Amino acid sequence: MRIAVLGTGEVGRRLATKLVSLGHEVAMGSRTADNAEAVKWAEEHGGAHGTFADAAGPAELVVNATGGLVSLAVLESAGAENLRGKLLVDVSNALDFSEGFPPKVVTPDGGSLAEQLQKAFPETRVVKTLNTMTNTVMVEPDRVPGDHNVFLSGDDEGAKAVVADLLRSFGWPSGRILDLGDLSSARATEQLVQLWLRLYGMFGTGDFNFSVSVAGSAESAAS
């Protein structure tokens, strides 16, 4: 696929690199066409780079890997016409570090960031996933032993199926992918990040993840 990864931070670079390794045509988007991180990434991995609009325009699928507090502005900069009819994978969290660590998780209008983005871009199919773990585990789930889970939220079943396929290509077995239902379920996973942050502070590493188990089953809830 032609994929745009919006965001040049560690999450964006990690996801973009994995996608290139899987044979996708990847463009990294940033505020300026000559962003130093994007230029360096493109030179090292053979991808393209440009503004948010440059990256999103020709893409079939767009990944929002920007900071959640600026995600809406970023997508507006990418342009509604460049997102119309496309699948948007939202991996972001709206974190406010103004008072130090751990940051506060910002909840837009009592809902979720994913719902806010869907409302702003109604002709785009938003799927929330991968926001409950560190970026290394996103693309290398075997870093964490056992049957731990990745969550999916979205209103469009076809879009979620495409994202589930993408997750499997990252190494996530089907049994570990939990479809939580419509996009309102992203409220739960975005709030779960508060627990993740506390655990990160306690463990001193991001190499952990959440596992959902059901009584009477030796496997995770996904099975």
Side-chain angles (χ1 to χ4, degrees):
M1 285 190 290
R2 292 190 305 277
I3 299 178
V5 176
L6 308 184
T8 61
E10 190 173 346
V11 175
R13 297 197 308 273
R14 184 82 62 182
L15 289 170
T17 299
K18 181 67 173 182
L19 290 165
V20 167
S21 76
L22 293 171
H24 299 289
E25 185 180 329
V26 181
M28 182 172 287
S30 56
R31 287 185 176 83
T32 61
D34 58 352
N35 177 279
E37 289 289 353
V39 170
K40 180 181 178 183
W41 175 83
E43 290 175 347
E44 292 177 350
H45 300 283
H49 68 89
T51 64
F52 295 127
D54 291 337
E60 301 166 80
L61 181 149
V62 179
V63 178
N64 174 38
T66 63
L69 295 181
V70 300
S71 290
L72 181 58
V74 165
L75 294 179
E76 288 171 345
S77 177
E81 69 280 3
N82 290 325
L83 300 173
R84 186 173 295 115
K86 297 180 181 179
L87 198 165
L88 175 70
V89 182
D90 178 32
V91 305
S92 65
N93 289 303
L95 303 178
D96 179 0
F97 285 89
S98 63
E99 297 178 9
F101 189 91
K104 293 182 293 185
V105 178
V106 178
T107 305
D109 301 323
S112 65
L113 173 62
E115 290 172 284
Q116 182 187 53
L117 299 180
Q118 183 66 86
K119 182 178 180 180
F121 301 93
E123 296 181 82
T124 301
R125 299 175 296 159
V126 178
V127 176
K128 188 82 179 192
T129 193
L130 291 173
N131 66 302
T132 56
M133 63 195 73
T134 194
N135 63 83
T136 49
V137 177
M138 290 179 184
V139 300
E140 193 181 343
D142 286 346
R143 292 177 69 92
V144 178
D147 289 327
H148 52 98
N149 298 103
V150 59
F151 306 107
L152 278 177
S153 301
D155 295 333
D156 187 294
E157 295 300 321
K160 285 192 289 186
V162 172
V163 176
D165 283 341
L166 199 62
L167 292 173
R168 282 188 282 269
S169 74
F170 285 4
W172 291 95
S174 295
R176 296 189 193 176
I177 302 171
L178 289 183
D179 185 342
L180 300 180
D182 66 32
L183 203 56
S184 68
S185 62
R187 301 175 190 180
T189 58
E190 290 183 13
Q191 289 298 321
L192 186 59
V193 175
Q194 294 186 84
L195 176 58
W196 188 94
L197 289 163
R198 292 288 180 176
L199 292 170
Y200 175 78
M202 184 173 72
F203 295 144
T205 176
D207 282 341
F208 65 90
N209 196 19
F210 298 107
S211 176
V212 180
S213 300
V214 176
S217 173
E219 299 179 359
S220 71
S223 61

